[in-house]
Amino acid sequence: MNIDYQKRIEAILKTKREFNDKKLELRGYHNSDDHGNLPIPPVPFEPEPSHENGNCYGFRSTGQNFGRWIAEHPVYIHPESALAGGWTYGPSCIGGWPPEDAATHLFDLHKKYNFVQPGIGAMNHSCPDMTIGFQLGWGGLLAKLRHFRSFNNPTDAAFYEGEIAVVEGTQAWIRRHVAEARAMAALESDALVKQNLLEIAEMNEWLVENPPRNLREACQFLAWFQSIDRMWFCGGALGQLDELLRPFYDKETMGDEHAIWCIASLFFNDTHYSQIGGPAPADGHDITSPISFLILEATHRLLIPSNIAVRVHEGVNKDLMRKAIENLIEDKTGCCYACADGLDNGYARNGVPIGLARMRAKVGCNWTALPGIEYCLQDVSRVCMVKPFILAFDETYADEPSDMEALWNRYVEHMTIAVDTLKRGFDWHMKHQAKNSPELVLNLFAHGPIERGLDLSAGGVDIYRLTSDGVGLATVADSFAAVEQRVVREKALTWSALKQVLDSDFADAEPVRLMLRNIARYGSGGSRADWWAKRIADLFGSLVRETPTPDGWTMLPGLFSHGVIAQLGEHLAATPNGRFAGTPISHSADPDPGFMPHGGGAPTAKSTAVATVQPKWGNTTPLQIEIDPGLLGSLNAVETIEALIRGHNDLGGSIININIISKEDILKAHADPSLYPDLVVRVTGYSTFFRSLSPEYRQQVVDRVLAEG
């Protein structure tokens, strides 16, 4: 029968839009990457708690309750999708930490240094190796768990009991979809839809026990993984998607349109993070293959938020790069770009072979990880670099007359305490995480946890390099530069006068605020603010990397904020860069919007500035670029964007995120998001529908577009 695959893709796209409407009604705004969760009310679930507070902790309790949750989860099958399954968020009573394990000894320091994300209790920020699942299937994973439970014969078999319950729950859930697909087919009058439903039933009946045999089954296996991964504390990492699917595509007999439909159906299931292209581990040759282009085509056809990264390196496939940029220009959104120079060479500085560094996959909004062999806790903690400055300034002004080195020395003291607080918190996490909230899903797809009977966080894998990100670089750099220029050099203000203006939040002092703000700011090139930014970034990098945590864990520094800048700024006083009290601090390592007069040359200037402050240890410091489509009309658009991407890679950059949207459109969409229901933007490293964001998060994007677009 002649199947119109494009029509099927359009059908699931229509449903995706309807789902987004319903999710906004049910949940309101959601300031994160777009997820594939079903828009249904909370599913009733009665746990069997292990704690007097009614929650479930530890392998046995969390595994058995989560496995039962999966088995009882509602079934969902879209009749035009290639795949079965849909998910909603798991119950909050399973996992987490009991109150007696809270890091109360650090609470005062967390408050003093404005920690809102200390990383303690964080989940899921490591990369699975999905080839394990492709080789074993759910039945093989179950057999592996039972084998090593017998082989290790632990005194307490809680690890194995919990993990077995998760796999058995997943199998039961798949079986229910098999029955549902057959029931739907029995009632279906459309011959093509009936055929599709019966194929879904037959495919999943096989996958209950067996590994996937073809591309469609591989995508279905990944969809089941995505679903339980999201339900267990919102995991989102997938891996090198083109290489995962390539062996199945090489045997594909159904044609490319069928393959694109299968991949689009996977993205409809969820927008897990993955990458395509990039250097091979052994010799660095580019691994782009035909399936890489089909993945791009699937994102282009479906046109919903996607989290695909193109790995950029010197030998990147020119056609893949061009196609990704063409899609970006046409769709106004698309892939992000992960730069091998900063990521691979940076990670190799830790003493690992470059071949191992090349194996790291970009599988988070800003982060990379080695599939199945590394526990890194990427993107889970933030060090507010602004609060140490405020504390340092308050101490320095009291010693007037003073100088910049006195201010800097006090800043170093407070930053040292802040980073030490972070490290002590990570030690606490490593001591307590496994016994409370284990990595139930990722343990199944890693090398070591099942074999050793140990959680990822507790010795299950071989490589441990924890990470943390600094936030507020431009706010601090511009503040240092403003104090230096207006107070120390020009003497337009005294230290005390500046302190008084800041304490009053610039009340009746707008000329003073503008005087402080209108200096040569970070990003403008060759300014004192640029010099301060490099000094601050180097300080943060050395504090994080040069000494381990007290318990000996190595940490890798990066500069990234996600969307936490408003939350961090909420409790901060006014700062000498002209920022009002309570307002957001600067985003990641990007210069603040408006750093270049009239916005001219902003993309190139930002690229240079962000590359200059990269810590370069394998953690990331993303570059965010906003481009006006009208500007591209007067240029060789593809070549211009490609030059920008390649140039940032050559400078040692790590991640590039790009939006293409006009000032007029972003203002209209902000004023009435319902007018632009399909507008997709990259807020930071993540992609989402613009109207799904709260007004405060939308404002972050608007400010950038207005200033630099």
Side-chain angles (χ1 to χ4, degrees):
M1 289 183 282
N2 187 24
I3 300 173
D4 188 339
Y5 291 110
Q6 179 58 29
K7 182 180 177 182
R8 289 183 169 182
I9 292 174
E10 290 170 358
I12 58 177
L13 171 58
K14 179 175 181 293
T15 300
K16 178 70 174 181
R17 292 167 175 165
E18 293 169 353
F19 277 7
N20 200 48
D21 292 339
K22 293 177 182 177
K23 284 192 282 190
L24 283 168
E25 292 175 9
L26 285 170
R27 293 177 51 207
Y29 300 120
H30 37 281
N31 298 322
S32 65
D33 50 299
D34 182 73
H35 296 164
N37 57 298
L38 300 172
I40 58 178
V43 178
F45 181 76
E46 290 294 330
E48 297 176 3
S50 63
H51 193 277
E52 61 185 11
N53 66 4
N55 283 14
C56 311
Y57 307 111
F59 266 108
R60 184 175 286 107
S61 181
T62 60
Q64 291 176 350
N65 279 282
F66 184 56
R68 188 162 59 85
W69 159 264
I70 298 170
E72 298 174 7
H73 191 281
V75 297
Y76 174 78
I77 300 173
H78 193 296
E80 300 285 4
S81 174
L83 314 175
W87 60 275
T88 189
Y89 295 102
S92 59
C93 57
I94 306 176
W97 283 30
E100 60 267 24
D101 281 346
T104 54
H105 60 298
L106 297 175
F107 282 2
D108 288 344
L109 286 169
H110 287 164
K111 183 177 181 180
K112 179 176 181 178
Y113 288 100
N114 201 30
F115 277 90
V116 298
Q117 287 181 292
I120 301 171
M123 297 283 294
N124 281 322
H125 283 66
S126 296
C127 181
D129 184 350
M130 296 311 301
T131 62
I132 295 172
F134 283 172
Q135 292 164 0
L136 298 177
W138 298 108
L141 285 168
L142 190 59
K144 181 180 178 182
L145 285 162
R146 289 171 175 163
H147 167 78
F148 279 102
R149 178 177 62 181
S150 175
F151 180 82
N152 290 326
N153 192 25
T155 303
D156 184 354
F159 174 95
Y160 292 105
E161 291 176 18
E163 296 290 357
I164 286 171
V166 171
V167 175
E168 290 179 335
T170 302
Q171 290 178 308
W173 191 37
I174 298 172
R175 289 190 186 98
R176 292 176 56 224
H177 280 82
V178 172
E180 178 68 12
R182 290 204 169 108
M184 291 172 65
L187 300 174
E188 182 58 57
S189 59
D190 185 298
L192 286 175
V193 174
K194 178 188 285 285
Q195 175 189 346
N196 186 46
L197 291 168
L198 291 174
E199 289 172 353
I200 287 174
E202 180 181 354
M203 169 177 64
N204 281 290
E205 190 167 47
W206 170 265
L207 289 175
V208 169
E209 294 287 348
N210 303 293
R213 301 165 294 186
N214 55 47
L215 181 66
R216 185 174 183 179
E217 290 179 356
C219 289
Q220 178 68 83
F221 187 92
L222 293 179
W224 293 125
F225 163 78
Q226 287 186 156
S227 296
I228 65 170
D229 190 41
R230 281 294 194 196
M231 289 192 285
W232 186 243
F233 286 86
C234 210
L238 198 54
Q240 181 81 37
L241 187 57
D242 50 358
E243 281 295 282
L244 287 171
L245 296 180
R246 182 177 56 80
F248 299 99
Y249 175 74
D250 288 346
K251 299 183 293 183
E252 181 66 24
T253 61
M254 300 294 290
D256 284 355
E257 288 297 306
H258 177 271
I260 292 168
W261 170 58
C262 292
I263 298 167
S265 298
L266 177 65
F267 295 151
F268 170 72
N269 173 268
D270 196 75
T271 53
H272 263 51
Y273 288 86
S274 57
Q275 71 177 29
I276 56 176
D283 60 6
H285 77 271
D286 191 81
I287 60 173
T288 299
S289 65
I291 192 72
S292 310
F293 291 89
L294 298 187
I295 291 169
L296 276 184
E297 184 62 19
T299 64
H300 178 57
R301 300 254 196 111
L302 192 57
L303 203 58
I304 65 173
S306 64
N307 290 314
I308 303 293
V310 173
R311 284 281 266 137
V312 180
H313 64 120
E314 185 178 357
V316 64
N317 184 285
K318 295 180 180 179
D319 293 334
L320 185 73
M321 174 76 90
R322 185 172 189 88
K323 180 60 177 174
I325 296 172
E326 288 174 348
N327 288 356
L328 170 68
I329 294 170
E330 181 178 347
D331 301 339
K332 313 307 180 189
T333 187
C335 297
C336 68
Y337 302 87
C339 301
D341 192 78
L343 293 173
D344 299 351
N345 294 337
Y347 193 66
R349 289 181 65 204
N350 295 289
V352 305
I354 188 63
L356 184 65
R358 289 174 180 145
M359 290 173 61
R360 276 189 138 208
K362 198 275 187 186
V363 286
C365 61
N366 77 306
W367 56 276
T368 61
L370 292 165
I373 58 175
E374 179 183 27
Y375 184 76
C376 48
L377 279 182
Q378 294 262 27
D379 187 30
V380 301
S381 63
R382 308 279 183 261
V383 175
C384 177
M385 299 192 290
V386 181
K387 186 60 181 291
F389 175 86
I390 293 172
L391 294 170
F393 180 83
D394 286 350
E395 293 171 3
T396 305
Y397 95 94
D399 294 337
E400 190 178 2
S402 193
D403 57 30
M404 294 306 295
E405 279 306 297
L407 177 59
W408 173 256
N409 289 336
R410 282 192 166 91
Y411 182 68
V412 171
E413 291 174 6
H414 285 292
M415 279 293 293
T416 301
I417 297 171
V419 172
D420 178 69
T421 301
L422 170 85
K423 291 180 178 180
R424 291 167 61 195
F426 269 39
D427 281 348
W428 191 258
H429 169 93
M430 298 299 285
K431 289 175 181 176
H432 294 83
Q433 178 71 1
K435 72 173 184 177
N436 291 320
S437 198
E439 297 282 1
L440 290 175
V441 178
L442 294 185
N443 283 334
L444 298 170
F445 302 96
H447 301 276
I450 295 177
E451 292 85 346
R452 303 168 189 174
L454 297 173
D455 189 65
L456 273 169
S457 67
V461 290
D462 292 336
I463 298 175
Y464 288 83
R465 290 188 179 89
L466 312 181
T467 64
S468 186
D469 301 311
V471 185
L473 179 67
T475 300
V476 183
D478 289 344
S479 291
F480 266 111
V483 173
E484 182 178 46
Q485 181 172 335
R486 302 306 190 191
V487 176
V488 175
R489 292 185 176 179
E490 298 173 357
K491 303 189 184 305
L493 290 169
T494 64
W495 291 87
S496 295
L498 177 55
K499 170 65 173 171
Q500 184 177 356
V501 168
L502 295 175
D503 285 348
S504 71
D505 197 19
F506 301 106
D508 302 320
E510 181 64 6
V512 175
R513 190 184 77 86
L514 293 177
M515 177 183 68
L516 292 165
R517 182 172 175 80
N518 291 331
I519 60 167
R521 293 157 62 188
Y522 162 57
S524 58
S527 69
R528 288 297 292 175
D530 287 296
W531 183 86
W532 282 110
K534 183 69 167 67
R535 194 179 190 189
I536 296 160
D538 287 347
L539 169 67
F540 179 72
S542 64
L543 289 175
V544 172
R545 179 61 181 81
E546 289 183 3
T547 57
T549 72
D551 286 350
W553 303 105
T554 297
M555 296 196 65
L556 308 183
L559 300 169
F560 180 64
S561 59
H562 202 270
V564 77
I565 58 174
Q567 191 178 2
L568 286 173
E570 185 177 346
H571 302 293
L572 293 177
T575 43
N577 66 326
R579 177 193 146 273
F580 288 109
T583 60
I585 60 176
S586 56
H587 165 66
S588 296
D590 289 335
D592 266 340
F595 72 98
M596 291 288 285
H598 313 298
T604 302
K606 285 180 78 171
S607 174
T608 301
V610 172
T612 299
V613 299
Q614 297 272 339
K616 296 184 178 179
W617 287 103
N619 196 1
T620 68
T621 299
L623 167 67
Q624 182 74 41
I625 295 291
E626 327 297 331
I627 300 177
D628 191 300
L631 175 64
L632 291 176
S634 62
L635 302 169
N636 294 320
V638 174
E639 290 76 10
T640 299
I641 295 176
E642 181 176 359
L644 180 66
I645 294 169
R646 287 182 179 273
H648 194 63
N649 178 65
D650 292 343
L651 288 170
S654 52
I655 302 289
I656 307 170
N657 304 306
I658 302 176
N659 285 318
I660 297 182
I661 188 168
S662 69
K663 297 178 181 180
E664 294 76 15
D665 284 346
I666 200 69
L667 286 173
K668 291 178 183 176
H670 191 36
D672 187 357
S674 66
L675 296 175
Y676 292 79
D678 302 326
L679 176 60
V680 176
V681 296
R682 287 201 171 274
V683 184
T684 55
Y686 67 89
S687 177
T688 194
F689 289 108
F690 185 69
R691 71 190 188 107
S692 297
L693 299 168
S694 67
E696 294 77 16
Y697 269 58
R698 295 202 305 265
Q699 191 67 51
Q700 295 180 30
V701 180
V702 172
D703 289 345
R704 296 195 310 251
V705 173
L706 293 182
E708 280 101 38

